[in-house]
Amino acid sequence: MTELKPWSVTASKTVFKDKWIHVRADDCITAEGAVVAPYYVLDYTDWVQVVAFDEDDQLLLIEQYRHGVGRMSLESPGGVMDAGETDPVATAKRELLEETGFTAADWVYVGRLAANPATNTNFFHIVLANGARKTAEPADDPTERVKVHRISAKDAVPLLLSGKIMHALHVAGLTMALHHRGKWKA
């Protein structure tokens, strides 16, 4: 069996860049010499997902409009790591407070996944928050209106398996966090 090797990049140029996305076109050569050009790469910053349980052991989910699919989506709180943020747990604390008005007593870093390793450069960090309680009102962001739902972990599993929670990264992150917390046996 041949050893797998990464591609070589012979040229790279920015196609588009703004505050949300950076698209670049790489000219690549595989280990066997095949040319793959252009190969488009989406250079995003890392994201954080907060799987939060409140003091009554209820899972906090948010419902919000997602323009890409033109529908409401049931998800975990979370978002992008802002410029200068390097600690996913600190970002998770900020995101949970901004989106739900909740803070938590106990935080656990569960792990990270690649959002789409074929074309995206970023990672998606999963952070578990235990003992969350409402301490403030959510931030007033007109581009991000959310409705908070409190459900049991037992009731979340059918939502994950049926596609009612449709964001694939959130399904994966919730599965990892629920397993980590002993709420879903693999």
Side-chain angles (χ1 to χ4, degrees), residues 127-167:
V127 179
L128 179 61
N130 296 300
R133 61 185 173 84
K134 186 152 183 171
T135 58
E137 290 303 313
D140 184 23
D141 182 348
T143 67
E144 191 174 57
R145 295 293 184 219
V146 302
K147 180 178 179 183
V148 177
H149 295 269
R150 296 173 64 239
I151 65 169
S152 70
K154 177 180 67 92
D155 291 338
V157 173
L159 296 173
L160 292 165
L161 296 175
S162 69
K164 297 256 192 282
I165 297 176
M166 66 178 159
H167 193 308

Side-chain angles (χ1 to χ4, degrees), residues 3 10 22-23 29-30 32 54 70 83 86 114 118 144-145 150 175:
E3 182 182 341
T10 60
H22 174 199
V23 181
I29 300 177
T30 70
E32 293 79 26
D54 69 13
T86 58
E144 191 174 57
R145 295 293 184 219
R150 296 173 64 239
T175 301

Side-chain angles (χ1 to χ4, degrees), residues 25-92:
D26 290 349
D27 292 343
C28 304
I29 300 177
T30 70
E32 293 79 26
V35 175
V36 183
Y39 191 89
Y40 294 101
V41 177
L42 305 174
D43 191 8
Y44 290 111
T45 56
D46 284 6
W47 307 325
V48 171
Q49 174 187 8
V50 185
V51 179
F53 284 88
D54 69 13
E55 294 173 314
D56 296 323
D57 206 32
Q58 297 292 295
L59 180 63
L60 300 175
L61 295 176
I62 60 171
E63 183 179 8
Q64 64 183 319
Y65 176 72
R66 291 301 195 182
H67 188 68
V69 294
R71 297 177 47 184
M72 296 299 168
S73 179
L74 189 59
E75 308 171 353
S76 297
V80 69
M81 293 180 74
D82 289 340
E85 288 183 323
T86 58
D87 179 7
V89 175
T91 301

Side-chain angles (χ1 to χ4, degrees), residues 3-23:
E3 182 182 341
L4 296 174
K5 296 180 183 174
W7 296 354
S8 298
V9 178
T10 60
S12 184
K13 69 177 179 180
T14 295
V15 176
F16 179 80
K17 185 174 184 175
D18 71 8
K19 71 177 189 172
W20 299 108
I21 189 171
H22 174 199
V23 181

